[in-house]
C-alpha cells in the first residue's frame, strides 16, 4: 500500500465550522506532503486560511500562520497540552491494581499550568548551557567518528549512518546509561518511530520498555551518583518532595520522546538542504564561523514539529469559533514560513535580522533541550563539511519523508567524490 492511499477518511464538517475555513490536509499522509513536506507547507501557507479546519484524522484545527501559533502556544487556558486532563489520568492510574507496572508519563510536556511548572522547574538546571557544554567534546568526537566511517565510501544513507546513531549515543552519554545499551536503544527508537497509530496500549508498552532499559542504572545512580543527568535528577525536588524512581523514569521517557527523533530529523532536514545547496557548502567550509547562523536559518526554513493541543473551552480565536474538546495543531512549520513574519520566507537567507523562529515553540512549553539540540546540529554540520568533499543527493535515490507530529526524513542517500 502506498502512503498516498493511506490518507484517512474525511469526517463531516461540524456546523460551527464555515466552509471557507476547510482545507483538506492529512497531516500524516497528504500525498504532496510526504513527497516533499516543506514544499507542501509553502503551498498551504500561500493558499489556506491562517487558522483552518481539516476533515482528516478525525477532524481538527490547524494553526498555520505565525500569529495564530504564537498566541495559541501562550494561551494554555484555551489550548491545553493535556490531551486527557491531568486529574483523569491520575484517577485512572490510582484505580489500577497495586502490582500494575509503572506507566511512564512524559511530564511536563503534556501538563498545563500550574502542574506543568512543578515538573519543568527541576529540569531547568539540568539542561542549562553549563551542563550541556560539558558534553560538547564527546559529541564532536562521535560526529567525527561517524563521518569518518563513511568518508571513503563515496556514499551513504545518511539517516541510518549518522543522523540516527548520533542523538542516541548522546542520550546515553547524557543520562549516564552504559554504551552497551546502544543497540537496545536504537531498537527502541526504531520501534517508537515505526509506530504510527496513536493507540494508547501499544504506546504504554513501548514507554515501559524504555523505562525498563534504564532501571538498573537509575537505581545504581541513586546509591552511587556520578556526573550525569540521572544522578542530577535524584538530587532535585518536585514541588518540595524528593524524586522517586517513578519520577526519574518519567523524565527518562520524556527525554527519549522529546530529544531523539527531533534531533535526528533536524539533522536530516538540515543536511538535505546542504546537499542541495553547494554554494552554501562552499561558503561554510571557507568560513566555519557562519555555521551557527546556518543552523538557525535551517531550523526556521525547515521547522518540523507539530505539537497537539486540546481546545479547553468554547472560544472565538482569531475570529474563528472553536468548541471545547476539539483538537488543534500548533503547525510550527507554517509559522516559520509565514511571509508576514519572515520576508521571502521560502528562501534560505544566512543572515536574517532580528525575528527569532519558533522551531522550539514559544510560551511555557518552549523546548528545554534547545541548547543541546543546537550544539548537536552545529557539530554535525561542521563535521560533515570538514570531513567530506561537496556532498549531493544521489540523483538515483530521492529522499523519502513522513508526516506526523515530527515531520521526518526517512531516507536520504548522499554521494560525493572519493
Ligand atoms: C532540533 C531538535 C528539537 C526540536 C525542534 C524540539 C522542539 C520542541 C518543541 C516544539 C517543544 C514544545 C512542545 C509543545 O509545545 O508541546 C519541545 C519541548 C520539549 N523539548 Fe524539545 N526539541 C528538540 C530537541 C530536544 C532535545 C535534544 C531535548 C532534550 C534531550 C528536548 C527536550 C524537550 C523537553 C523536555 C520539552 C518539554 C518542555 C515543556 O513541556 O515544558 N528537546 N521541543
Amino acid at each position: 500500500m502506498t502512503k498516498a492511499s493511506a490518507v484517512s477518511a474525511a469526517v463531516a464538517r461540524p456546523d460551527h465550522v464555515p466552509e471557507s475555513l476547510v482545507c483538506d490536509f492529512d497531516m500524516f499522509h497528504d500525498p504532496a506532503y510526504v513527497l516533499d513536506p516543506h514544499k507542501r507547507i509553502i503551498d498551504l501557507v500561500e493558499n489556506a486560511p491562517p487558522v483552518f479546519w481539516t476533515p482528516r484524522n478525525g477532524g481538527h484545527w490547524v494553526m498555520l500562520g505565525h500569529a495564530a501559533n504564537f498566541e495559541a502556544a501562550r494561551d494554555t487556558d484555551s489550548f491545553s497540552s493535556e490531551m486527557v486532563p491531568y486529574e483523569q489520568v491520575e484517577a485512572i492510574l490510582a484505580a489500577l491494581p497495586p502490582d500494575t507496572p509503572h506507566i511512564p508519563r512524559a511530564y511536563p510536556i503534556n501538563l498545563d499550568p500550574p502542574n506543568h511548572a512543578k515538573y519543568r522547574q527541576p529540569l531547568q538546571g539540568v539542561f542549562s548551557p553549563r551542563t550541556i557544554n560539558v558534553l560538547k567534546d564527546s559529541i564532536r568526537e562521535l560526529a567525527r567518528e561517524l563521518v569518518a566511517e563513511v568518508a571513503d565510501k563515496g556514499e551513504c544513507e545518511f539517516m541510518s549512518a549518522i543522523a540516527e546513531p548520533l542523538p542516541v549515543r548522546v542520550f546515553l552519554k547524557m543520562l549516564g546509561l552504559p554504551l552497551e545499551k546502544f543497540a537496545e536503544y536504537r531498537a527502541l527508537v526504531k520501534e517508537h518511530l515505526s509506530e504510527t497509530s496513536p493507540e494508547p496500549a501499544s504506546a504504554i508498552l513501548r514507554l515501559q520498555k524504555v523505562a525498563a532499559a534504564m532501571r538498573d542504572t537509575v537505581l545504581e545512580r541513586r546509591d552511587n551518583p556520578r556526573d550525569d543527568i540521572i544522578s542530577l535528577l535524584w538530587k532535585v525536588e518536585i514541588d518540595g518532595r524528593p524524586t522517586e524512581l517513578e519520577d526519574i523514569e518519567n523524565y527518562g521517557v520524556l527525554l527519549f520522546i522529546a530529544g531523539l527523533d527531533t534531533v535526528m530529523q533536524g539533522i536530516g532536514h538540515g543536511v538535505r538542504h546542504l546537499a542541495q545547496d553547494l554554494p552554501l557548502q562552499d561558503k561554510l567550509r571557507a568560513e566555519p564561523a557562519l555555521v551557527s547562523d546556518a543552523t538557525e536559518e535551517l531550523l526556521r526554513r525547515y521547522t518540523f514539529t507539530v505539537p497537539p493541543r486540546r481546545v479547553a473551552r468554547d472560544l472565538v480565536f482569531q475570529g474563528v469559533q472553536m468548541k471545547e474538546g476539539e483538537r488543534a495543531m500548533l503547525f510550527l512549520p507554517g509559522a516559520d514560513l509565514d511571509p508576514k513574519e519572515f520576508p521571502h520566507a521560502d528562501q534560505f537567507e544566512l543572515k536574517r535580522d532580528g525575528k527569532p523562529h519558533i522551531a522550539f515553540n514559544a510560551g511555557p512549553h518552549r523546548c528545554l533541550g534547545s541548547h543541546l539540540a543546537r550544539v548537536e546540529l552545529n557539530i554535525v554540520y561542521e563535521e560533515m563539511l570538514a570531513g567530506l568533499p561537496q556532498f549531493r543527493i544521489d540523483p538515483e535515490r530521492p529522499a523519502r519523508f513522513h508526516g506526523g507530529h515530527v515531520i521526518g526524513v526517512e531516507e536520504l542517500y548522499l554521494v560525493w567524490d572519493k
Side-chain angles (χ1 to χ4, degrees), residues 81 108-111 116 120 123 127 171 174 254-256 258-260 262-264 266-267 299 304-309 330 332 358-362 364-370 372-374 376-377:
S81 292
I109 204 164
N110 49 21
L111 287 179
H116 170 258
R120 179 174 167 110
L123 289 178
F127 282 98
F171 175 82
M174 180 176 75
L254 166 78
L255 300 178
F256 179 91
L260 290 178
T262 46
V263 174
M264 168 179 166
I267 296 174
L299 278 165
F304 57 89
T305 69
V306 182
R309 295 293 187 262
L330 300 184
L332 303 177
I358 53 171
F360 295 114
N361 207 358
H365 288 280
R366 195 184 172 285
C367 179
L368 270 169
S370 60
L372 173 60
R374 286 186 163 115
E376 292 189 63
L377 293 170

Side-chain angles (χ1 to χ4, degrees), residues 209-230:
K209 279 195 210 167
V210 173
M214 61 178 73
R215 193 160 300 137
D216 288 351
T217 312
V218 170
L219 290 170
E220 208 273 328
R221 293 299 187 279
R222 182 187 56 192
D223 306 327
N224 301 299
R226 289 197 203 163
D227 183 15
D228 58 44
I229 282 183
I230 292 182

Side-chain angles (χ1 to χ4, degrees), residues 1 25 171 259 268 361 371:
M1 188 168 66
F25 174 63
F171 175 82
N361 207 358
H371 184 67

